[in-house]
Amino acid sequence: MNEIPQGPFCQSCGMPMSESEHFGTEKDGSKSEEYCSYCYQNGSFLNESITLEEMIDFSAQKIDEAGIMPYAEAKAMTGQFLPELKRWRK
């Protein structure tokens, strides 16, 4: 990865949210400041039951598919980064 994406980052999957359409929505239709449109719409998570481990695997796979970095490297990175996000902090 040549350059570090600028945040804010989704507090569920870690995706950088640099464009308006990246932001999820609250129940009142306003943009969520914390979660992306792939994780959060109308004030709730699209996949309430996903575990942290599943999200790490899912995010690593998407990073690999996008050609950003290989899956193993992406999984190591997301495994360190995602547990620090709001949705996953204990």
Side-chain angles (χ1 to χ4, degrees), residues 17-68:
M17 301 186 303
S18 58
E19 299 181 24
S20 179
E21 64 266 13
H22 293 161
F23 292 82
T25 55
E26 300 295 348
K27 285 186 181 191
D28 65 4
S30 65
K31 296 286 184 189
S32 170
E33 296 294 319
E34 298 180 323
Y35 301 107
C36 77
S37 59
Y38 300 107
C39 290
Y40 193 78
Q41 292 179 14
N42 298 315
S44 60
F45 291 109
L46 297 177
N47 188 346
E48 285 282 343
S49 63
I50 194 168
T51 66
L52 173 58
E53 264 312 306
E54 290 168 337
M55 184 62 83
I56 289 168
D57 286 337
F58 177 79
S59 295
Q61 181 179 1
K62 292 297 179 189
I63 291 167
D64 181 41
E65 288 171 3
I68 297 168

